[in-house]
Amino acid sequence: PDLSTILDTDMSCFNDDGTSPLTNRPEKKTRLAAESTHSMEHIPYPEENDVMCGRGRNNNDHVGNVRFRQFMNEHKLHYISATKSEKSNMAFELVAMWRKQQPPGRFLKQDNSFGGSGLWHDIGDKKARDKVCQFLRKRTLYELKT
């Protein structure tokens, strides 16, 4: 099936040939994020479209994480039924769609190392894709019953 059918979404955020805007980009920053006025490093606090990576209730309850889970749940069934190569492509496309929001969606990790700044930084597209895949692989209790 066509990717736009799988994602059931507007494809206007993709290149004219249907490829991801992330293709051939450096791992740490996307063009979308790099062109925005929102920093990818030394971030004092996450914003409404930011996904806070890591464990803990604070991260889970953050508005960006709640919205991200809702966004991912909209695409979960399509992901589960896709082939392995389609799943990888879908994950990159979903990261691109999340980053395209206004303000841009970022995937942030906090520097909590000993002597660390406590500031946040974006984890990059590859790790963000891994997070998307991890989330979409998880089966909910409802899915296990059906």
Side-chain angles (χ1 to χ4, degrees), residues 95-125:
V95 168
M97 289 168 60
W98 189 258
R99 290 191 184 280
K100 183 118 174 126
Q101 300 178 95
Q102 290 301 322
R106 301 174 290 189
F107 296 83
L108 304 179
K109 182 171 181 154
Q110 192 171 28
D111 179 6
N112 286 328
S113 62
F114 184 72
S117 66
L119 296 175
W120 298 81
H121 66 275
D122 191 275
I123 63 173
D125 295 328

Side-chain angles (χ1 to χ4, degrees), residues 36-86:
S36 80
T37 58
H38 287 72
S39 175
M40 300 297 278
E41 297 180 11
H42 310 295
I43 302 161
Y45 56 89
E47 296 181 9
E48 67 206 57
N49 291 334
D50 292 334
V51 176
M52 297 166 58
C53 300
R55 296 180 180 266
R57 187 172 186 94
N58 287 340
N59 290 358
N60 259 345
D61 292 344
H62 174 66
V63 65
N65 290 53
V66 171
R67 292 183 68 240
F68 178 72
R69 285 193 301 273
Q70 292 168 342
F71 176 72
M72 289 294 105
N73 282 330
E74 292 172 12
H75 302 287
K76 195 169 198 169
L77 292 177
H78 295 297
Y79 180 86
I80 290 169
S81 63
T83 66
K84 186 174 182 176
S85 63
E86 289 172 334

Side-chain angles (χ1 to χ4, degrees), residues 1-55:
D2 179 22
L3 186 58
S4 63
T5 305
I6 292 171
L7 296 177
D8 189 27
T9 189
D10 176 18
M11 294 293 285
S12 62
C13 66
F14 300 100
N15 299 331
D16 291 337
D17 62 358
T19 61
S20 168
L22 299 178
T23 306
N24 299 323
R25 296 231 169 65
E27 181 180 320
K28 279 292 186 185
K29 295 181 182 177
T30 66
R31 183 186 67 190
L32 300 172
E35 289 175 356
S36 80
T37 58
H38 287 72
S39 175
M40 300 297 278
E41 297 180 11
H42 310 295
I43 302 161
Y45 56 89
E47 296 181 9
E48 67 206 57
N49 291 334
D50 292 334
V51 176
M52 297 166 58
C53 300
R55 296 180 180 266

